[in-house]
Amino acid sequence: MSNTLQNVVFPQGKDPDVLPLYADPETWSTINGSAVRLSAVASIDNVLSRSSARVRAGRRVSYGTYFNAFPAAYWQRWTVVDRVTLTLRTRGAGTVLVYRSNSNGAQQRIDSRPVTGESVSEFELPLTAFGDGGWYWFDLIAGDEDLVLEGGEWTTEAEPTVPGKLSLGMTTFNKPDYCVATLENIAGSAALTEAIDRILLVDQGDRRVRDEAGFDEVAARLGEKLRVIEQPNLGGSGGFARSMAETLELDDTDFLMLLDDDVEFETESALRAHQFGRFSRTPVIVGGHMFDLLDKPVMHAWAEVVRPDPFMWGPSFEEQHRHDFRKQNLRQTAWMHARLDADYNGWWMCMIPKRIIEQIGLPLPVFIKWDDAEYGLRARDAGFRTVSMPGVALWHVSWLDKDDTQDWQAFFHTRNRIIAGLLHSDRPRGGRLLQNSGRQDLKKLLNMQYYAVQLAVDALQAVLDGPEGLHEDISTAMPRARALAKDFPETRVYRPGDPEMPIARGGRALPFLGERPESPRGAGLALFTLRMVPQHWRRDGDETRAPQPELEYAKRDAFWWQIPHHRSVIVGTADGAGKSWYRHDRAKFRRLLQQSRKLTQEIEKNWDALAAQYRAALPRMTSVEEWKKTFEGR
């Protein structure tokens, strides 16, 4: 029996912004090292439906795109599929051309076929020469009249290794509108609803999804497939842990796909991830890529890793970060043709086989931050890999206009990173993790971000307190961190019209419009630190009697090596909603610097003992039994 692995699809709602992810114009050229579109012949007007599109007479359109090319290297490496069949249904006269690429992005035409009238074209394509990378795709050339692609799919005659269904685990906090929209999107896909066993919507907010307009109607359409679970706010780790625990009790589910709440969901992606999991030789975590919901052709990253020495997450190389498909699509981006392996995938969209959950347990009870990366590392240590799968993606609200290292989340950034390092770092005393964390604290102190450093200090102490209190702390750590803000005046946001808005005596700093200046490095950084730390240590100052701000900076121009030269300065917030007033306070600077260094040194001194303690506690902390106590408030 033939199994569909991937359908040819087009944008839902005929969204023109995302068209470059689905169809590619004929003509590109390289100018100044970048691929430049010379003729944009793939118009949204030529998208006829979710599965069909038109190529105008005399034109050529390529489907060697993010959502419609076939990632052959990933299927060859991880699955039992050794050949695929591309089937295309067309109407009109023209030519179908089939291409492949290698890991360097070199393109090779492997077949072509003329079509006329109502035609069905099939191409048998082996998956035998894609060890390091490469894709398959097809182009269409119309003759004297329009050529219509009525539909297409990539299929296999292979049999899946795992037959079970897919469940979805959605976690939300006060985003009921997004959740209802996602449920409506799922309900509108007959293929996806057929593949789904359960939708586990874990609602942790006080604006309940069940009260949102449209919920009753979509719930009726989904019927018994939808289960809404209401529980206290236990963060992302608590919400996703609940969906994992519930999944273990579903007999017909073999895969759980975790979904964030503030997303737009490409339903075809869930089907592709499910099929990839069903045909995998051994269980693999299948992650989806994240596109920016407010700038839809822009991808966050392709494959993310935790770099072992600083023990910090990020893309495996910088070129992946915020790649814009309007400027350079799949065919023009050589690195996209190499198979890239990941250490973890963000839980905005991530499918985990039930077998992995059964073997390694649930997430760490850490509320938010690092729970997904730690889980990927834990799975890797148990012999299970993560595949960030091309062609599997959604659109997520970007954190480009946020800076959560400065708000209440700073506590979780510091604490959870160190805990993950204690559990998984193979470097003596965590490598450069603690040094890097200490430098971040110092940078924030010099920038008069005392609240963020106070939270980091609290996080260091929490690490030293050990793993025993993590479950008990999961519901109280966030409110405690937020409550501290009242003691730090820089957390106040002054908005337009606020009569207490401070005015900088020097006016606004001129915007820096040129190339971003390089930050101090090496010897320059050492000299900068040696100069600025004593200045801030000696400089008299009290937040309650701060002088008038010297200058006002836009957020983008507030370089961390520029702000320390000021005693009092206004900086725009990351989201553009207002201004923050940063003021030097000698007492806070001295106290927090001493505490940060003391606690960091204590963790470093006791690293091996702490690592043994956390690793011994890991099975219990992540067990279903321990998590159920937390769900029940015990």
Side-chain angles (χ1 to χ4, degrees):
M1 184 181 73
S2 178
N3 292 284
T4 299
L5 305 179
Q6 181 172 311
N7 292 292
V8 176
V9 292
F10 296 99
Q12 299 179 38
K14 298 184 69 172
D15 185 345
D17 285 345
V18 299
L19 187 59
L21 305 178
Y22 295 84
D24 216 8
E26 176 186 3
T27 308
W28 290 73
S29 182
T30 300
I31 299 177
N32 295 329
S34 298
V36 177
R37 189 185 313 232
L38 298 182
S39 63
V41 300
S43 166
I44 196 66
D45 295 334
N46 292 321
V47 173
L48 305 178
S49 72
R50 180 74 163 132
S51 60
S52 62
R54 172 178 52 219
V55 180
R56 294 290 187 180
R59 295 292 195 174
R60 174 175 181 158
V61 173
S62 175
Y63 300 94
T65 57
Y66 178 82
F67 277 122
N68 280 322
F70 185 81
Y74 293 83
W75 283 91
Q76 176 179 315
R77 169 64 181 87
W78 299 108
T79 76
V80 297
V81 178
D82 60 7
R83 68 176 46 246
V84 293
T85 301
L86 169 63
T87 303
L88 300 173
R89 294 172 296 282
T90 56
R91 174 166 46 85
T95 305
V96 179
L97 303 100
V98 180
Y99 290 84
R100 62 151 290 173
S101 65
N102 62 19
S103 61
N104 295 320
Q107 303 176 22
Q108 305 163 359
R109 195 175 88 185
I110 58 173
D111 207 344
S112 64
R113 192 170 303 172
V115 293
T116 185
E118 302 275 349
S119 298
V120 177
S121 305
E122 291 189 351
F123 302 88
E124 296 291 328
L125 305 170
L127 298 180
T128 55
F130 297 93
D132 294 323
W135 298 65
Y136 279 124
W137 69 87
F138 66 95
D139 289 8
L140 295 179
I141 302 175
D144 294 336
E145 298 180 353
D146 293 350
L147 176 64
V148 175
L149 173 64
E150 302 281 10
E153 55 273 333
W154 305 81
T155 62
T156 183
E157 298 297 322
E159 291 297 321
T161 58
V162 181
K165 286 196 168 188
L166 173 71
S167 283
L168 304 181
M170 298 171 58
T171 296
T172 184
F173 179 79
N174 288 348
K175 293 187 175 69
D177 49 347
Y178 279 101
C179 292
V180 169
T182 296
L183 293 175
E184 290 173 342
N185 196 12
I186 295 168
S189 171
L192 182 54
T193 53
E194 174 62 27
I196 287 174
D197 181 18
R198 290 289 186 274
I199 302 169
L200 304 165
L201 198 164
V202 183
D203 190 346
Q204 303 186 130
D206 48 31
R207 291 171 49 208
R208 295 299 190 188
V209 177
R210 56 178 158 81
D211 297 327
E212 183 71 11
F215 173 77
D216 291 341
E217 292 79 3
V218 74
R221 292 170 64 190
L222 291 168
E224 64 178 12
K225 288 183 180 290
L226 175 63
R227 182 184 172 199
V228 178
I229 302 165
E230 296 179 352
Q231 69 179 28
N233 185 16
L234 305 177
S237 65
F240 289 131
R242 184 64 181 269
S243 62
M244 289 185 189
E246 298 292 335
T247 294
L248 294 176
E249 299 179 7
L250 298 175
D251 293 338
D252 294 333
T253 293
D254 276 326
F255 304 93
L256 173 67
M257 175 169 284
L258 305 179
L259 290 174
D260 219 336
D261 51 3
D262 47 354
V263 300
E264 283 187 11
F265 186 37
E266 168 56 82
T267 54
E268 168 69 17
S269 290
L271 290 167
R272 294 177 184 182
H274 184 215
Q275 289 294 71
F276 194 84
R278 292 177 72 232
F279 285 89
S280 295
R281 292 188 191 90
T282 58
V284 293
I285 296 173
V286 184
H289 292 145
M290 187 192 96
F291 285 88
D292 187 339
L293 183 59
L294 303 180
D295 194 3
K296 289 187 171 181
V298 176
M299 175 184 283
H300 166 65
W302 193 275
E304 294 194 275
V305 298
V306 176
R307 300 189 185 281
D309 206 33
F311 204 83
M312 191 63 194
W313 60 32
S316 52
F317 51 89
E318 188 58 31
E319 288 79 5
Q320 302 173 48
H321 183 60
R322 292 196 62 79
H323 181 87
D324 190 341
F325 280 81
R326 286 168 299 204
K327 299 177 180 177
Q328 201 169 34
N329 215 328
L330 173 66
R331 290 184 300 152
Q332 293 82 33
T333 310
W335 62 257
M336 287 186 185
H337 295 258
R339 195 193 79 240
L340 300 181
D341 294 336
D343 286 337
Y344 72 97
N345 198 96
W347 281 355
W348 48 75
M349 182 182 193
C350 190
M351 190 189 78
I352 306 175
K354 185 162 71 172
R355 180 177 158 190
I356 294 180
I357 300 172
E358 290 171 337
Q359 184 163 332
I360 74 170
L362 308 189
L364 282 176
V366 293
F367 197 78
I368 56 169
K369 304 301 176 189
W370 280 90
D371 46 351
D372 46 13
E374 188 281 328
Y375 201 86
L377 295 176
R378 196 187 333 156
R380 185 193 65 186
D381 292 347
F384 303 112
R385 297 307 301 265
T386 295
V387 178
S388 290
M389 186 66 183
V392 174
L394 50 61
W395 289 269
H396 188 287
V397 172
S398 172
W399 44 79
L400 187 65
D401 292 332
K402 303 176 184 178
D403 192 349
D404 57 22
T405 64
Q406 294 182 30
D407 65 15
W408 58 269
Q409 298 174 78
F411 172 84
F412 299 99
H413 275 287
T414 298
R415 185 196 65 174
N416 299 353
R417 177 188 178 192
I418 296 174
I419 289 174
L422 289 166
L423 289 169
H424 300 291
S425 176
D426 60 358
R427 297 295 197 266
R429 298 184 180 180
R432 292 188 291 111
L433 191 166
L434 294 173
Q435 180 190 60
N436 181 271
S437 180
R439 284 181 175 177
Q440 294 302 315
D441 288 351
L442 181 56
K443 182 189 297 185
K444 291 171 184 175
L445 283 173
L446 293 174
N447 279 262
M448 299 170 283
Q449 296 165 358
Y450 305 123
Y451 173 59
V453 182
Q454 179 65 68
L455 292 174
V457 165
D458 293 347
L460 295 170
Q461 183 59 59
V463 170
L464 287 165
D465 289 342
E468 298 306 318
L470 285 176
H471 269 283
E472 182 179 346
D473 201 48
I474 193 170
S475 61
T476 60
M478 184 269 285
R480 187 169 61 247
R482 293 175 70 99
L484 274 176
K486 69 180 186 301
D487 299 326
F488 295 87
E490 77 268 17
T491 61
R492 176 178 175 179
V493 176
Y494 297 87
R495 302 183 187 278
D498 189 334
E500 298 183 11
M501 170 80 81
I503 305 299
R505 66 174 183 266
R508 179 170 175 146
L510 291 174
F512 193 87
L513 301 178
E515 186 176 338
R516 177 187 172 95
E518 289 191 8
S519 63
R521 297 177 183 275
L525 177 59
L527 289 172
F528 174 85
T529 305
L530 287 172
R531 183 172 69 253
M532 297 309 304
V533 171
Q535 280 189 25
H536 280 248
W537 184 271
R538 294 190 302 265
R539 178 189 289 169
D540 190 20
D542 182 337
E543 289 169 329
T544 62
R545 300 190 304 273
Q548 182 182 2
E550 298 162 27
L551 276 176
E552 176 186 336
Y553 284 90
K555 178 67 176 179
R556 64 181 296 273
D557 297 322
F559 302 118
W560 66 262
W561 60 92
Q562 177 65 39
I563 300 303
H565 294 285
H566 299 283
R567 291 173 177 265
S568 176
V569 65
I570 299 171
V571 177
T573 57
D575 61 3
K579 305 292 180 181
S580 296
W581 183 9
Y582 294 95
R583 289 155 273 187
H584 175 70
D585 188 296
R586 183 171 66 181
K588 283 184 177 177
F589 178 87
R590 289 182 174 186
R591 175 178 63 81
L592 291 170
L593 179 61
Q594 290 172 327
Q595 289 177 333
S596 172
R597 288 183 170 176
K598 176 178 178 295
L599 293 170
T600 299
Q601 290 168 359
E602 190 172 347
I603 293 174
E604 184 177 19
K605 176 183 175 182
N606 295 288
W607 181 269
D608 291 342
L610 284 167
Q613 186 181 2
Y614 276 90
R615 293 179 189 192
L618 182 62
R620 180 189 55 78
M621 283 194 297
T622 59
S623 68
V624 174
E625 294 74 22
E626 198 68 18
W627 266 109
K628 281 186 175 180
K629 295 177 187 177
T630 300
F631 300 148
E632 296 164 3
R634 289 189 282 143

